[in-house]
């Protein structure tokens, strides 16, 4: 009896667990194609893309990128940089501690999406592809080749062990999460990810300075986009570019460095923000900047209530209104019923104190409620405040707030002889009214950041976090839950009232409709809560970034008309789908949403 042995079969498709890409190009060729395509993309931005200057940005110049070409240049440069790092080029491996393949995909997608958006916009606005110069065709082909090469790179995701079909959905989820953690640990053990090399202190400080300089440059560029197409391209490049950098692990590495040098980071961020008005040639964008700071400061105060203490407050904007109305009444305005004009420091303290009193009055009877019930009560308080100031017009009630007309003609601040309503020259730079208020609001923001940081690091801050995580367990450990929550409510209200005192002088007029739950123009309670969740609950920088985006994006999307809120809402849905923990999450919150994340040795109390 003979046994017939079959010849070994060569599989036509990769076996389970073999790293593969989305298309059939070998990864070695794909990596070379992506890197070479990135270089060609960079070169193409120095060519003319169209023959006429009718398209904004003047893309007719050879040798000098302009407008949307600059954004495509950035996408191509990132793709090239990550591609060279994937080859192990000395000095670049530090930039990709978690590997470069995923970052190459996203960077290539940034260049491709921005370039093809520009080509389509040129063809649509000028009347066809005949308006493209050779540079336009080259960049279209180069970015397409780059994307194809990037998509051929492997996804290093081995197949998990078979799942028991009798397991519940939660057990299957836990099974997949454990498998993902084992993959991460295996990658760390085999050296797939690059361990952080210990750097001297001066080098880490230089990295912080560079990161802050890049952040200031990106913010200044985004806020100063001159036309609609450029802002859309900026959103595409910034979104995919940030995602690519995050995939490399570089964001986490820099976050660890900033956490190590928190004081240096805070001072550097303050200096970078203070430099913003001096980068502007007029007061146009400083106007947006000061409103962003007001919005961000109030969001940071709300972060104490929502992010640290876990209390859902839907009427928080009312405390901003309390501070604004208080300052307006004692500012010397002819519409004020009180014939008094206090100095700014006195009106600021008074506005914060009155807001704190309202916070205690509202919080004392309601903070024994939890969850949805507390949210409903705070939402009711916000509406009660708006209706009350609307009716205090001398007809429906006492003449205190001047009803729907509000308190108008609020004079500009004058602190130690410095008139905030006049232009001033500082170090050869001329700054106007809104730039003056921007610098003042920056000081207020710094005060709020210090209060938030010291509070979160204190004993009461630990109690807030304990209440947020599990109130029943915190009460069992001896924490006075009601007192702790009332302190959070009062402190958050005080910070909002402090910001409101500046807002009253910036806007000249305070009216009831400014403090609705969902007013068209932020800040309002809905946008404030969204800024905290979008940026990252429980962190310092998260609400600041979230508030900046939530104010800047609607202001720049006005050209969409009736579709503005639709596009804005769609962007929020996508962001919450792919990054539910927020843009700059607290480490604890990141672990809640991503069980595959590597647990840190020490969990920070509040992120920077």
């Amino acid at each position: 009896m003979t046994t017939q042995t079959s010849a070994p079969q060569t599989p036509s498709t990769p076996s389970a667990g073999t790293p593969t890409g989305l298309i059939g190009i070998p990864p070695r060729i794909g990596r070379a194609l992506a890197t070479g395509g990135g270089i060609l993309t960079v070169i193409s931005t120095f060519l003319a893309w169209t023959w006429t200057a009718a398209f904004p940005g003047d893309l007719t110049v050879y040798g000098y990128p302009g407008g949307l070409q600059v954004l495509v240049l950035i996408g191509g440069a990132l793709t090239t940089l990550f591609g060279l790092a994937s080859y192990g080029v000395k000095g670049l491996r530090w930039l990709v501690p978690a590997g470069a393949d995923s970052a190459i995909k996203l960077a290539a997608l940034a260049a491709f999406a921005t370039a093809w958006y520009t080509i389509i916009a040129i063809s649509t606005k000028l009347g066809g592809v005949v308006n493209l110069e050779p540079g336009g065709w080259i960049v279209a082909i180069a970015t397409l080749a780059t994307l194809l090469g990037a998509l051929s790179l492997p996804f290093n995701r081995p197949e998990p062990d078979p799942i028991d079909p009798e397991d519940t959905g939660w057990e299957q989820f836990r099974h997949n999460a454990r498998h993902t953690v084992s993959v991460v640990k295996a990658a760390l053990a085999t050296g797939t990810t690059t361990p952080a090399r210990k750097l001297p202190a001066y080098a880490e400080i230089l990295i912080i300075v560079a990161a802050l300089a890049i952040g200031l440059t990106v913010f200044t560029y985004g806020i100063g986009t001159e036309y609609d197409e450029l802002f859309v391209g900026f959103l595409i490049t910034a979104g995919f570019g940030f995602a690519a950098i995050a995939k490399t692990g570089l964001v986490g590495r820099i976050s660890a460095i900033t956490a190590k040098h928190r004081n240096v980071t805070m001072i550097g961020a303050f200096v970078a923000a203070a430099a913003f008005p001096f980068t502007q040639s007029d007061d146009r964008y400083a106007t947006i900047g000061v409103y962003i700071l007001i919005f961000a400061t109030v969001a940071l105060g709300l972060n104490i209530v929502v992010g640290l203490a876990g209390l859902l407050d839907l009427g928080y904007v009312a405390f901003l209104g309390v501070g604004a109305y208080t300052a307006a009444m004692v500012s010397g305005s002819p519409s004020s019923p009180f014939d008094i004009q206090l100095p700014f420091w006195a009106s600021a303290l008074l506005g914060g104190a009155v807001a704190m009193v309202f916070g205690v009055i509202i919080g004392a009877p309601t903070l024994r409620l939890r969850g949805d019930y507390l949210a409903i009560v705070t939402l009711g308080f916000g509406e009660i405040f708006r209706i009350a100031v609307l009716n205090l017009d001398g007809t429906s009630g006492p003449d205190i707030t001047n009803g729907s007309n509000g308190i108008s003609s609020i004079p500009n601040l004058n602190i130690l002889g410095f008139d905030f309503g006049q232009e001033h020259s500082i170090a050869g730079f001329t700054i106007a009214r809104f730039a003056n208020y921007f610098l003042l609001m920056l000081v207020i923001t710094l005060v709020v950041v210090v209060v938030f940081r010291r509070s979160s690091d204190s004993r009461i801050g630990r109690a807030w976090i304990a209440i947020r995580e599990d109130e029943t367990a915190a009460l069992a450990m001896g924490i006075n839950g009601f007192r702790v929550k009332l302190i959070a409510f009062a402190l958050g209200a005080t910070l909002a009232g402090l910001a409101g005192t500046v807002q009253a002088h910036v806007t000249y007029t305070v009216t009831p409709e400014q403090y609705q739950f969902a007013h068209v123009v932020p800040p309002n309670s809905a946008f404030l809560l969204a800024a905290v969740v979008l940026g990252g609950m429980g962190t310092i920088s998260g609400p600041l970034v979230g508030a900046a985006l939530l104010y800047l994006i609607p202001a720049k999307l006005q050209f969409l008309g009736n579709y503005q809120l639709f596009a804005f809402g769609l962007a929020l849905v996508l962001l919450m789908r792919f990054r539910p923990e927020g843009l700059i999450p607290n480490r604890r919150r990141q672990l809640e949403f991503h069980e595959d994340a590597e647990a840190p040795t020490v969990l920070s109390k509040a992120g920077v």
Side-chain angles (χ1 to χ4, degrees), residues 105-448:
K105 294 183 180 72
L106 290 168
L109 188 57
F112 172 81
T114 308
W116 280 72
Y117 165 75
T118 306
I119 298 302
I120 294 173
I122 291 174
S123 303
T124 303
K125 190 164 187 175
L126 301 183
V129 294
V130 296
N131 294 282
L132 295 177
E133 286 286 287
W137 295 102
I138 292 174
V139 73
I141 297 173
T143 53
L144 179 59
T146 304
L147 182 62
L148 292 177
L151 293 178
S152 70
L153 298 180
F155 292 92
N156 294 307
R157 297 175 183 172
E159 289 292 330
D161 298 329
I163 297 176
D164 188 347
E166 297 182 358
D167 284 347
T168 63
W170 172 248
E171 290 172 339
Q172 294 179 8
F173 171 78
R174 300 272 305 186
H175 172 85
N176 290 331
R178 285 193 298 269
H179 169 73
T180 307
V181 171
S182 66
V183 171
V184 173
K185 291 181 177 178
L188 292 171
T190 57
T192 303
T193 58
T194 305
R197 184 176 61 184
K198 187 174 178 59
L199 298 174
Y202 73 87
E204 293 180 338
I205 293 175
L206 289 177
I207 291 173
I208 294 173
V209 172
L212 292 174
I214 293 173
L216 175 62
T217 303
V218 171
F219 176 76
T220 304
Y221 187 91
I223 204 173
T225 49
E226 299 176 354
Y227 51 95
D228 304 334
E229 293 85 355
L230 184 60
F231 183 72
V232 173
F234 168 76
L235 289 181
I236 295 172
T237 303
F240 285 116
F242 178 80
I245 296 173
K247 281 293 185 180
T248 63
L250 185 59
V251 173
R253 178 166 285 183
I254 294 177
S255 298
I257 294 175
T258 57
K260 183 178 178 181
H261 303 278
R262 296 176 67 182
N263 291 329
V264 174
T265 302
M266 188 169 66
I267 295 173
F270 178 79
V271 172
F276 169 71
F278 300 99
T279 64
Q280 306 300 307
S281 58
D282 55 39
D283 215 27
R284 176 183 176 188
Y285 298 118
T287 306
I288 299 178
V290 69
Y291 284 115
I292 287 176
L293 279 182
I294 293 173
F295 189 12
T297 303
V298 181
L300 194 57
L302 179 61
N303 199 25
I304 293 179
V305 180
V306 177
L308 294 183
L311 305 173
L312 185 56
D313 188 350
L314 297 182
Y316 187 76
V317 74
F319 298 120
L320 176 70
V322 169
Y325 266 96
T326 301
M329 290 178 184
V330 297
S331 64
S333 168
S335 302
S336 172
F338 307 106
D339 187 16
I340 183 174
Q341 185 171 2
L342 298 179
F344 173 70
W345 64 268
S347 63
L349 292 177
L350 183 62
V354 173
M356 180 185 67
V357 170
F358 271 86
V360 173
I361 292 175
I362 298 302
T366 60
L367 285 178
R368 300 187 187 278
L369 301 173
R370 299 186 185 182
D372 299 338
Y373 301 100
L374 177 61
I376 293 172
V377 170
T378 55
L379 177 62
F381 164 66
E383 285 301 298
I384 289 172
F385 168 78
R386 183 183 64 83
I387 295 173
V389 295
L390 187 63
N391 290 331
L392 295 178
D393 56 357
T395 302
S396 302
D399 187 10
I400 299 177
T401 62
N402 204 23
S404 59
N405 294 323
I407 299 178
S408 59
S409 302
I410 300 173
N412 284 303
L413 289 175
N414 191 306
I415 301 177
L416 300 177
F418 186 91
D419 190 344
F420 282 75
Q422 302 295 324
E423 291 187 351
H424 298 276
S425 295
I426 300 178
F429 295 91
T430 300
I431 57 174
R433 179 179 184 272
F434 283 103
N436 296 330
Y437 280 108
F438 178 90
L439 296 176
L440 174 63
M441 197 60 221
L442 190 60
V443 175
I444 301 295
T445 304
L446 180 63
V447 171
V448 174

Side-chain angles (χ1 to χ4, degrees), residues 547-569:
L549 289 176
L550 286 178
Y551 191 92
L552 181 61
I553 293 177
K556 291 289 187 176
L557 291 182
Q558 292 180 0
F559 68 93
L560 292 178
N562 295 333
Y563 296 97
Q564 175 187 353
L565 291 180
F566 172 77
F568 183 61

